[in-house]
Amino acid sequence: MSMSLSSRAAVPVMALLLATGASVSQPALSAEYFVSTSGNDSSGTGTLQNPYRTVKRAISAGRAGDTITLRAPANNRIYNECDVRLRQKMTLQTYAGEGKARIHCAITTPETVTIQIDPAASGSRLSNLEISGGYYYGIMLQTNWYQGGPATDTGASDVVLEDLLIHSTGRDGIKITPKSNRATIRRVEIHTTGARDNSNADGIDNVNADGMLVEDSYIHDTATTGMYFKGGARDVVVQRNRVENTGDAGILVGFDTSVEFFDLSANPQYYESIRGIVRNNVVRNTGYSGIGMYASKDAIVANNTIINAGSKGHAALFFGLSLQDWDQDAKRPPNINPTVRNNLVVQDGRPCVEIRWTHEEELGGALSALDGDPGMDWNGYSDRRGACRFIDQRPQTPMLVANGDFDRWRRRMGADAHGVQAASFMLDDTGKLQTGSPAIKAGTTLDAVTDDIDGHPRGDPPDLGAYETGLQAAAVPPPSSPVVAVADDTLASLSAGADDAGLVARSHYASLQAVWNRFVPGISLMKFVLISLTVVVLLGLALAIRLVRKRNVMGWLLAWMKQDWRAPVPEGTTRHLLFCFVDHYEPAWGKPDLEKERARVARWSRDLPRLCAGHRDADGRPPVHSFFYPEEEYREEHLDALVDLCRQGLGEIEIHLHHDNDTEAGLREKLSRFTELLASRHDALPRDAATGQPRWAFIHGNWALDNSHPSGRHCGVDNELIVLREEGCYADFTLPAAPDPCQTRTVNRIHYAKDDPARCKSHDTGPRVKAGGRQADADLMIIQGPLGFRWKSRKFGLIPRIENSDIRKVAPPSRDRIDAWVKTGIHVEGRPEWTFVKIHTHGAEDCDMDTLLGQSMDEAYRYLESRYNDGEQWKLHYVSAREMYNLAKAAEAGETGEPGQYRDYVIARPAYRVGGEASAPAQPRVAGSVG
């Protein structure tokens, strides 16, 4: 008899015991809730006889430890639900004896995952289900962890995924996020990933989640890689799986991860994988490497069978380079101390082994995929088109040339001393060895491998590859001892062990010391090295001092060290993050042809709505981009395109100007003409209600506001602040300018500037904007973005780079940068709970658009919305430059409550009407009328 026991059913018993004076102290019993496609969410009770209709309804009824069982009759077993989310530990399974219930989410449903498991649901189990669809993933293990956050933050851990069929997903089959540790994936079939987006659609994608176990599973027909574990994932085991027909690689030990996903307390060297084990797998028909290693440490790759790998590139066994998104913080280490044993490689014209190397000046020079010995022996190689190729691209390799055959590989590299090359290894269709195969009993016993892909015990010696046959070994001649090149024309017979490597190293040092003593007998080689290092350190210190001066840090360093702009926020107060993105938007940057300008603007028109579609702040508003458009680059069609984005609520338009050796009259003419053009023709600027004068915010080209460049270039007008105010400007958003010498001594403040027409750079200092106060005689409000140092990004590994809130390809908006901007704490004095963060970019430069309109900015918005918009500690508000000014004025006036209600406090938003035909006519203007 099947029975569902809800914890509520225990209530009468508890009441009876209490009534009789009994003392009861027992945990609530777990319950089982049933779901059926013929059930009812309103009248159902979740019992077998009266089930719920939807999985979500059953989950909402359950408690930690409960089981949700899905009925799966043959004629109606599909549950069309998206974002089925476990928020506490539960088991989700199909009813015994009914096949697999299918949970399906249409890939066209935006921003969805079919099943998500939260960190609070650690220990959950999914069993005997079919899972399909999802805009992004079939299954996602969520995380609370972020780099630099509390050590207690983690992901969904100890989750078991077993006996599942996952297919037809929008992108990855299974997505495992950082610190979702000890996931177990067993007897799972994954296929047809990337049904919506095939550019990044792996079977299993593990980023910095330790202890994952993937076993006895079948992954095939994936758009990209079958599975990888990267980002510093430790102690992962991948065993007894079949991985076939992958668009990219088969199995990757490490890969290529953005720096913000590494746990630098556990992995300061940025290894992509640590102590990963890949054993007893069959990998067949891959686009790139069969089994690849990227920045791995202490990897074991043993007893795998790799067939026809790398049809598009790479090799069956591949040592790859991890560029880690070209981030300057990353270390991009080589693979180190690999153990590659007993593998069987059968190729069809592609290389059997490849070791990569490159030289990238932007990344500090040479990058090697492997440090030292490849750790390879007792492997078997075959190529149906002839002899296997072995490639080592490292310049100092003993191979001497990149390409070599098996004989050169063994003699020169000291690798595969006991390896086997054969014309054929006689495999059946599954990859199993047949009688007479030279791979039978050709391996070596390994502590890490005790069984085969079918769970059969290994022999002594074992067979090569994933299968253990139990057959007798074929007669093969014993291998000769490998010969390793150790000098130009001198060869020595050596084995490939670590002891010999140390012996060779000591021998080399002794030889160098002997040569050194001939020329400098009075000092040892080691002492000379130490003195040289001391000199290098002193030179480095001198270089650092020179660099500090060159980067114009001294002008603002003292103000930064005081950090007197910060103020504490009373405990329990909800803080508000006002996030503003301003853009020195120059479609004609670099003086391209008109088609290039149009392409740049079109990219923003196409991609900005896509980027913002899934993002909202506490007020339900999408991110807003403030386009500061340069007067000297005006094209009507470009402004029309930006106005269309503004109508969608995704942007606002302000004034940017590059000028040089200008006069007051010339500056007034430019500003008057351009602002009236934007207001009348495009309805892109608001007008003063009394005077009809356009109102606008400003960013100065080349940073030289108020003729502030020491050379006197890029402006020429010492009373520029007065001119700006009188022509309708209400606030300047130029700063920070560091490392440019135009940077002011005042940093990280919202302050007022009073122009002194007799001198330049009048905005260098000025009183802060204060709650309850107002500077009646000020000319302009100056709203600055965060300025400081990036301590995790150091030039030459020593000198921290300047953090100037600039976003571009080489400086993406990582989590640690976002946290640093917020911690800077820019605010109106007296209102510290309203935190102003203004960042900037040059958005029309081609090299940066992928960052500004792609994954980096998407992840930045996601982080802002998850970290700074919980509704209790933080509320997030996306604001334009105009809105940020209005909020500063509201704070100054002593307004309280939700800042979102003050977006139009002083300066109204323009209507952005089509063609600007409804824009108010210009009125006579009165100099000095701007408040």
Side-chain angles (χ1 to χ4, degrees):
M1 180 175 65
S2 178
M3 179 179 295
S4 173
L5 179 59
S6 171
S7 59
R8 291 188 294 273
V11 172
V13 178
M14 294 286 290
L16 179 61
L17 290 172
L18 291 173
T20 59
S23 175
V24 178
S25 177
Q26 294 186 14
L29 298 176
S30 61
E32 183 174 13
Y33 293 92
F34 292 88
V35 186
S36 171
T37 52
S38 60
N40 190 295
D41 282 350
S42 299
S43 60
T45 58
T47 63
L48 181 62
Q49 296 76 22
N50 192 15
Y52 293 123
R53 171 63 183 86
T54 64
V55 183
K56 290 183 179 179
R57 175 66 180 89
I59 290 173
S60 67
R63 298 181 179 180
D66 288 351
T67 297
I68 310 299
T69 299
L70 281 60
R71 300 299 305 272
N75 60 338
N76 195 356
R77 60 184 184 86
I78 301 177
Y79 297 82
N80 289 297
E81 300 185 50
C82 293
D83 289 319
V84 172
R85 192 160 191 166
L86 301 186
R87 302 179 185 274
Q88 52 190 339
K89 179 182 177 181
M90 286 184 167
T91 295
L92 190 60
Q93 65 182 14
T94 298
Y95 189 70
E98 290 189 346
K100 283 181 168 60
R102 180 181 177 187
I103 303 176
H104 175 72
C105 173
I107 61 174
T108 55
T109 306
E111 312 298 318
T112 56
V113 172
T114 306
I115 298 180
Q116 300 188 55
I117 302 176
D118 285 359
S122 292
S124 291
R125 179 184 301 265
L126 304 185
S127 182
N128 195 34
L129 297 166
E130 181 178 349
I131 299 162
S132 59
Y135 187 84
Y136 288 117
Y137 317 116
I139 298 174
M140 182 180 188
L141 273 57
Q142 290 279 13
T143 188
N144 290 328
W145 180 90
Y146 61 94
Q147 190 182 89
T152 54
D153 282 357
T154 186
S157 299
D158 300 300
V159 172
V160 176
L161 309 175
E162 61 184 6
D163 301 300
L164 306 177
L165 171 60
I166 303 169
H167 64 93
S168 307
T169 54
R171 283 176 48 179
D172 300 336
I174 299 175
K175 176 73 171 182
I176 302 178
T177 58
K179 299 305 176 185
S180 296
N181 297 330
R182 298 175 300 280
T184 297
I185 302 170
R186 62 166 72 104
R187 300 183 302 276
V188 171
E189 180 179 355
I190 303 173
H191 70 83
T192 319
T193 62
R196 180 189 61 82
D197 177 5
N198 63 8
S199 64
N200 183 7
D202 311 302
I204 300 172
D205 176 340
N206 172 345
V207 181
N208 193 13
D210 300 339
M212 179 179 74
L213 172 64
V214 183
E215 62 184 9
D216 304 313
S217 295
Y218 181 31
I219 300 174
H220 61 101
D221 298 285
T222 59
T224 52
T225 296
M227 74 174 88
Y228 58 57
F229 44 97
K230 64 174 187 172
R234 297 177 294 180
D235 302 306
V236 171
V237 176
V238 176
Q239 62 183 5
R240 302 191 305 268
N241 305 287
R242 300 187 69 86
V243 180
E244 298 180 330
N245 305 325
T246 63
D248 288 345
I251 301 172
L252 294 182
V253 184
F255 191 37
D256 204 340
T257 307
S258 300
V259 296
E260 63 264 31
F261 298 111
F262 287 90
D263 182 354
L264 298 181
S265 62
N267 180 22
Q269 296 301 314
Y270 291 84
Y271 285 109
E272 291 280 349
S273 168
I274 299 172
R275 297 184 300 275
I277 298 176
V278 178
R279 61 193 176 200
N280 293 327
N281 302 281
V282 173
V283 180
R284 183 198 298 264
N285 298 339
T286 65
Y288 289 95
S289 52
I291 298 177
M293 287 162 278
Y294 288 76
S296 69
K297 181 180 181 182
D298 301 328
I300 296 177
V301 176
N303 281 101
N304 301 284
T305 298
I306 305 172
I307 303 171
N308 192 28
S311 60
K312 299 176 183 176
H314 298 172
L317 291 167
F318 182 72
F319 294 87
L321 294 165
S322 184
L323 301 180
Q324 297 173 344
D325 283 354
W326 294 68
D327 195 289
Q328 296 301 312
D329 290 342
K331 298 187 184 299
R332 291 170 278 275
N335 290 284
I336 187 168
N337 193 35
T339 298
V340 185
R341 300 279 195 272
N342 296 349
N343 298 287
L344 188 61
V345 173
V346 178
Q347 286 291 73
D348 194 10
R350 294 299 304 170
C352 286
V353 179
E354 183 174 355
I355 304 171
R356 282 292 176 94
W357 182 91
T358 189
H359 191 279
E360 296 288 349
E361 291 294 344
E362 293 183 44
L363 299 179
L367 292 176
S368 178
L370 177 65
D371 183 6
D373 189 275
M376 301 179 70
D377 204 352
W378 281 281
N379 299 295
Y381 305 99
S382 176
D383 192 320
R384 294 163 180 161
R385 301 192 185 185
C388 251
R389 283 184 295 143
F390 297 80
I391 300 173
D392 188 351
Q393 297 179 353
R394 296 175 295 175
Q396 304 304 319
T397 175
M399 290 278 284
L400 302 181
V401 294
N403 278 292
D405 57 17
F406 184 58
D407 181 60
R408 174 175 286 167
W409 172 251
R410 296 175 68 239
R411 288 191 302 108
R412 295 288 189 178
M413 297 293 291
D416 280 304
H418 307 89
V420 177
Q421 180 172 251
S424 173
F425 283 113
M426 306 168 64
L427 308 182
D428 66 10
D429 291 341
T430 66
K432 190 172 184 178
L433 305 174
Q434 300 299 290
T435 302
S437 171
I440 295 173
K441 296 192 178 298
T444 185
T445 302
L446 299 173
D447 291 339
V449 184
T450 59
D451 60 3
D452 77 343
I453 191 170
D454 290 330
H456 299 148
R458 285 286 176 180
D460 185 10
D463 296 346
L464 301 183
Y467 289 95
E468 187 70 23
T469 65
L471 300 172
Q472 292 298 312
V476 292
S480 59
S481 179
V483 181
V484 182
V486 295
D488 291 341
D489 297 309
T490 303
L491 299 179
S493 179
L494 296 171
S495 69
D499 291 341
D500 295 316
L503 176 63
V504 171
R506 291 191 296 272
S507 175
H508 283 176
Y509 178 77
S511 299
L512 288 172
Q513 181 69 65
V515 173
W516 177 263
N517 289 339
R518 295 180 192 173
F519 298 97
V520 190
I523 185 173
S524 71
L525 175 59
M526 184 59 69
K527 184 178 292 185
F528 175 78
V529 170
L530 293 174
I531 293 173
S532 300
L533 288 174
T534 303
V535 172
V536 168
V537 169
L538 293 175
L539 289 174
L541 182 60
L543 178 63
I545 295 172
R546 180 175 179 273
L547 185 63
V548 166
R549 290 179 176 175
K550 182 180 179 181
R551 303 293 277 176
N552 303 296
V553 172
M554 300 308 297
W556 54 270
L557 180 61
L558 182 60
W560 179 85
M561 292 175 66
K562 290 182 179 179
Q563 305 226 351
D564 57 352
W565 61 85
R566 297 191 180 188
V569 176
E571 189 173 350
T573 302
T574 298
R575 303 182 65 178
H576 296 269
L577 174 57
L578 315 176
F579 188 83
C580 177
F581 201 164
V582 305
D583 191 340
H584 307 213
Y585 189 76
E586 303 167 18
W589 175 81
K591 299 180 179 179
D593 56 30
L594 179 56
E595 290 306 311
K596 171 61 77 172
E597 291 185 30
R598 287 171 172 164
R600 289 169 172 174
V601 177
R603 172 83 187 271
W604 277 88
S605 296
R606 181 185 72 242
D607 289 355
L608 185 61
R610 294 178 183 175
L611 171 65
C612 296
H615 298 288
R616 292 295 184 271
D617 65 6
D619 305 316
R621 297 276 298 271
V624 58
H625 204 81
S626 295
F627 297 94
F628 283 74
Y629 196 94
E631 177 271 342
E632 68 277 8
E633 295 184 16
Y634 174 77
R635 287 191 190 275
E636 183 175 9
E637 62 182 283
H638 296 348
L639 266 300
D640 286 341
L642 295 184
V643 165
D644 184 62
L645 290 174
C646 296
R647 290 193 193 105
Q648 300 175 51
L650 305 179
E652 294 192 12
I653 296 171
E654 303 292 354
I655 305 301
H656 190 32
L657 176 67
H658 301 82
H659 62 142
D660 194 8
N661 196 28
D662 208 349
T663 64
E664 177 182 343
L667 176 60
R668 287 187 185 274
E669 188 278 329
K670 293 181 185 71
L671 294 174
S672 175
R673 173 177 46 79
F674 187 46
T675 57
E676 182 61 36
L677 180 65
L678 292 185
S680 59
R681 182 172 298 181
H682 300 282
D683 195 25
L685 297 177
R687 293 182 182 273
D688 186 279
T691 67
Q693 183 183 40
R695 305 298 305 277
W696 40 276
F698 185 68
I699 288 178
H700 199 294
N702 303 112
W703 316 106
L705 180 66
D706 201 39
N707 206 23
S708 56
H709 199 281
S711 69
R713 295 291 309 277
H714 311 306
C715 185
V717 183
D718 282 346
N719 65 332
E720 186 169 46
L721 302 184
I722 294 174
V723 174
L724 291 171
R725 175 178 59 82
E726 293 179 350
E727 292 300 325
C729 179
Y730 50 79
D732 178 84
F733 287 79
T734 303
L735 298 171
D740 193 274
C742 293
Q743 174 62 45
T744 58
R745 286 182 290 165
T746 301
V747 298
N748 297 327
R749 293 178 187 267
I750 302 172
H751 72 280
Y752 280 112
K754 175 67 176 174
D755 204 337
D756 181 351
R759 68 182 182 91
C760 60
K761 206 175 185 179
S762 298
H763 59 297
D764 199 30
T765 60
R768 292 182 65 180
V769 179
K770 299 181 180 181
R774 189 179 186 282
Q775 296 293 321
D777 61 343
D779 286 306
L780 216 57
M781 182 184 289
I782 308 295
I783 298 180
Q784 300 193 26
L787 177 62
F789 297 97
R790 295 184 64 188
W791 299 104
K792 292 185 178 181
S793 178
R794 293 179 170 86
K795 195 173 185 65
F796 310 121
L798 298 171
I799 305 170
R801 288 180 167 81
I802 294 173
E803 172 56 79
N804 58 6
S805 54
D806 185 14
I807 303 301
R808 54 185 61 232
K809 178 180 178 179
V810 297
S814 61
R815 292 185 176 194
D816 64 290
R817 292 190 72 195
I818 293 172
D819 291 340
W821 300 333
V822 176
K823 289 176 183 176
T824 299
I826 298 175
H827 65 281
V828 170
E829 188 173 359
R831 186 55 51 76
E833 68 271 22
W834 289 11
T835 300
F836 290 68
V837 170
K838 176 187 73 72
I839 63 174
H840 68 274
T841 191
H842 289 71
E845 297 185 14
D846 305 290
C847 61
D848 297 324
M849 287 194 197
D850 286 345
T851 298
L852 299 171
L853 294 168
Q855 182 178 357
S856 289
M857 204 62 221
D858 180 59
E859 291 177 352
Y861 286 137
R862 288 184 186 278
Y863 180 62
L864 284 166
E865 291 156 16
S866 62
R867 175 67 179 85
Y868 296 103
N869 197 33
D870 58 14
E872 296 180 3
Q873 292 185 322
W874 283 97
K875 289 186 179 180
L876 171 68
H877 308 272
Y878 293 127
V879 298
S880 66
R882 177 189 61 84
E883 291 171 332
M884 180 166 271
Y885 168 76
N886 280 330
L887 291 167
K889 296 296 289 184
E892 181 184 47
E895 302 287 1
T896 59
E898 292 290 325
Q901 63 186 311
Y902 304 116
R903 292 174 183 268
D904 304 317
Y905 188 71
V906 177
I907 307 295
R909 185 181 188 274
Y912 297 106
R913 297 181 178 90
V914 177
E917 69 275 3
S919 179
Q923 300 291 329
R925 294 195 286 178
V926 179
S929 64
V930 178

